[in-house]
Every structure is written in C-alpha cells, then in structure tokens.
Amino acid sequence: MITDIDTMGVVGPTAFRELLAAGSVQGATIRVAGQGLIVVLHIGPNDRVLGQFRGGPRFFRSFDGAAAALRQNGVMQWDADATGWIPRTLLRGKKDE
C-alpha cells in the first residue's frame, strides 16, 4: 500500500495525454492507497500518480474504473498490486453478517 502519495508527484489528465503522445510513459501500475486505488505512471526513472482535472490524486473505487481510465487513454497493458485492498462487494457482505 502506498501511504505517501504527495511525495510521488501528480500528473493531471492533460499532462498524461501529452506524456503518452511523447512516448514518455513506460508503463502503469494500479496500486492500493489509503482512499482507494490509484494509477501509478512510470515516467523515465520516476513514478507519478495520475491526477484529477481539478488537482490532487485520482482515487478509484474499483479495478474496472482504474483500468477504464488507462484504456481510454490508449494504455492497454499495466501491472496491478492489490496487496491490502478489499473490494467493496466483500466489505458490503461483511456488514450484512
């Protein structure tokens, strides 16, 4: 789980598209963070977090949402690290018990 997203730096959607067009994005990983899932972009020797239009990191509630954001921008392959993540459907089931 990533605990300190702020030190990684955030790349907004427009900059993400520009980096993709320039061939600078070498890969992506869907990872777990405190408020949900995030997309970590591998740009040269650095990792950056995909951000929102209005600033700050973009958090996803499902792998489908994170994968859709990548696919919409032409990224068809990525890694995933779900260590520590519990899907909402499992959380909902535990509340009902």
Side-chain angles (χ1 to χ4, degrees):
M1 179 186 300
I2 295 177
T3 56
D4 193 11
I5 297 170
D6 297 327
T7 61
M8 295 180 73
V10 176
V11 173
T14 304
F16 176 43
R17 287 187 199 95
E18 291 170 358
L19 289 165
L20 283 170
S24 299
V25 178
Q26 299 163 344
T29 303
I30 300 172
R31 308 246 346 236
V32 178
Q35 298 177 22
L37 300 170
I38 58 171
V39 172
V40 176
L41 305 171
H42 310 297
I43 303 167
N46 303 310
D47 287 343
R48 301 284 184 251
V49 176
L50 179 61
Q52 306 176 61
F53 278 108
R54 61 186 180 273
R58 181 172 177 188
F59 293 98
F60 297 90
R61 295 172 60 172
S62 70
F63 272 95
D64 283 348
L70 289 168
R71 288 185 55 90
Q72 288 169 355
N73 287 287
V75 179
M76 301 300 166
Q77 292 184 333
W78 55 83
D79 296 318
D81 181 355
T83 304
W85 182 66
I86 301 171
R88 289 180 302 155
T89 53
L90 290 180
L91 287 174
R92 190 170 33 240
K94 290 184 184 238
K95 290 179 186 175
D96 295 338
E97 292 177 354

